[in-house]
Amino acid sequence: MTKREAAAIATAPAPAGVTPDRVASETVAATSTGVHMTPGHEYYLNGDGPVPSVTTVLGIMDKPAVGVFKAKEAARAIIRRTYDRESGALWDDEDEAIKWALKEADKVRDTAASLGSSVHLLADLEGMPLRASETAYKGFQVSDDTIPYLEAYRGFLARYSASSIVSSEHAVWSLQGYAGTYDLLMTIDGELWLIDIKTSGKGPYPEWGLQLAGYRWADYIVLPGDPVLYPMPQIQRAGVLHLRPDLYTDTGWRLIEYPITKALDYRAFLSALELWRWRESKRFTKSRLMPKAKAITP
């Protein structure tokens, strides 16, 4: 998208169903220098884009553990409500009860996601120089829930030395048409590791390997406000730093290596990218198919 096109979008009325905030965000992205991520997790680079994020692409995959989690939380919500005498009358029909239970399960999921985001932010602050991190911490309220995770992360840094971090929270850009943000590049025993931080689920899960593959074989590291495309360094190993103080009572964390390969795992990620693009093309929607539908007569 050119800057002239972006200016035209900025002055045009928002299309039906598109909020002014989204138009404003896309306009900023299309005129920005360096990499820019929108609230919808779309990436722009020097005004070009949008391209999907690695995690958006992997949203196309079936994740059985997510379905099981939601079903369990919905069942727990129903049980709690049934035995809660102060909740008043129950529901008029089953559909109402199901909708309520699923919403309760979504609340639990969103709480877990919020915890993960807070832990990621704290981890990023921990990687800053002392003076910068002290400034950034001001005004940031650390909840009691995040403290054990932060302590686990500090224990990990103490084990492998925080000075070994090469970079953190930088975006990658692929000529295949996607982007993303990794958590850590750091040297461990003389080898360069690509590390993603996870806090949710018991894990490890297969799709975490595809996420790492998408980051590892991207073409460039890109920065906000910087038009330069920096070649992706040669990464020797990749893994997930799983912060779960409730599971790992000794340290609060485990570094789980994923022995990903370009031939198998990156190829699978690119297949997911193609499937995601096919879904986004909306080739077989009801509005496209039904106007030409015909009844089959004998």
Side-chain angles (χ1 to χ4, degrees):
M1 181 183 294
T2 65
K3 292 186 177 181
R4 179 178 295 178
E5 291 170 335
I9 292 174
T11 56
V18 179
T19 65
D21 287 344
R22 177 179 171 183
V23 173
S25 175
E26 292 178 350
T27 301
V28 170
T31 57
S32 62
T33 300
V35 68
H36 180 90
M37 185 182 75
T38 70
H41 292 269
E42 294 179 318
Y43 284 79
Y44 290 77
L45 180 62
N46 296 328
D48 292 332
V51 299
S53 70
V54 169
T55 52
T56 295
V57 168
L58 294 179
I60 197 71
M61 292 181 61
D62 178 43
K63 300 179 178 67
V66 175
V68 172
F69 166 82
K70 189 165 185 176
K72 287 182 177 179
E73 292 303 325
R76 288 192 182 102
I78 289 285
I79 294 170
R80 286 195 300 268
R81 181 68 182 269
T82 301
Y83 289 98
D84 183 2
R85 294 180 180 179
E86 297 180 359
S87 62
L90 297 182
W91 309 271
D92 295 331
D93 55 50
E94 290 184 356
D95 288 341
E96 183 183 349
I98 291 170
K99 288 180 181 179
W100 177 86
L102 291 177
K103 286 182 179 179
E104 291 299 305
D106 286 340
K107 289 179 183 178
V108 177
R109 176 204 62 195
D110 294 343
T111 299
S114 177
L115 173 64
S117 297
S118 297
V119 172
H120 273 78
L121 176 57
L122 290 171
D124 191 30
L125 294 177
E126 283 292 307
M128 290 182 177
L130 181 59
R131 186 181 299 272
S133 63
E134 288 177 345
T135 301
Y137 267 121
K138 292 180 179 179
F140 184 82
Q141 185 67 37
V142 179
S143 69
D144 291 340
D145 291 339
T146 61
I147 291 176
Y149 294 85
L150 179 58
E151 291 302 321
Y153 183 64
R154 285 173 171 168
F156 167 76
L157 293 182
R159 168 64 178 81
Y160 290 110
S161 176
S163 62
S164 65
I165 295 178
V166 177
S167 65
S168 62
E169 287 290 327
H170 286 169
V172 297
W173 186 270
S174 172
L175 298 178
Q176 298 287 345
Y178 70 86
T181 302
Y182 63 82
D183 290 326
L184 290 171
L185 280 181
M186 63 185 299
T187 56
I188 298 177
D189 297 330
E191 295 181 301
L192 184 60
W193 280 69
L194 170 69
I195 296 175
D196 195 62
I197 299 173
K198 299 293 185 186
T199 60
S200 61
K202 294 184 178 180
Y205 297 118
E207 58 269 20
W208 291 355
L210 295 191
Q211 184 179 357
L212 289 167
Y215 297 148
R216 177 172 183 173
W217 283 289
D219 297 288
Y220 303 105
I221 290 177
V222 288
L223 308 174
D226 186 346
V228 178
L229 280 65
Y230 298 94
M232 194 71 181
Q234 185 64 41
I235 295 168
Q236 281 81 41
R237 302 170 80 170
V240 163
L241 175 58
H242 200 204
L243 301 177
R244 285 298 298 263
D246 56 329
L247 293 180
Y248 314 124
T249 56
D250 52 349
T251 61
W253 59 270
R254 289 293 187 274
L255 180 59
I256 306 169
E257 182 175 8
Y258 277 73
I260 53 177
T261 68
K262 191 172 186 178
L264 294 177
D265 307 299
Y266 187 56
R267 182 179 178 182
F269 172 80
L270 293 180
S271 296
L273 176 60
E274 286 303 310
L275 185 57
W276 179 86
R277 286 172 176 157
W278 174 84
R279 186 184 66 180
E280 292 300 301
S281 70
K282 296 179 172 60
R283 278 177 40 80
F284 302 131
T285 60
K286 185 176 181 179
S287 61
R288 285 187 177 185
L289 295 175
M290 293 311 295
K292 297 181 181 180
K294 299 179 182 179
I296 300 177
T297 57

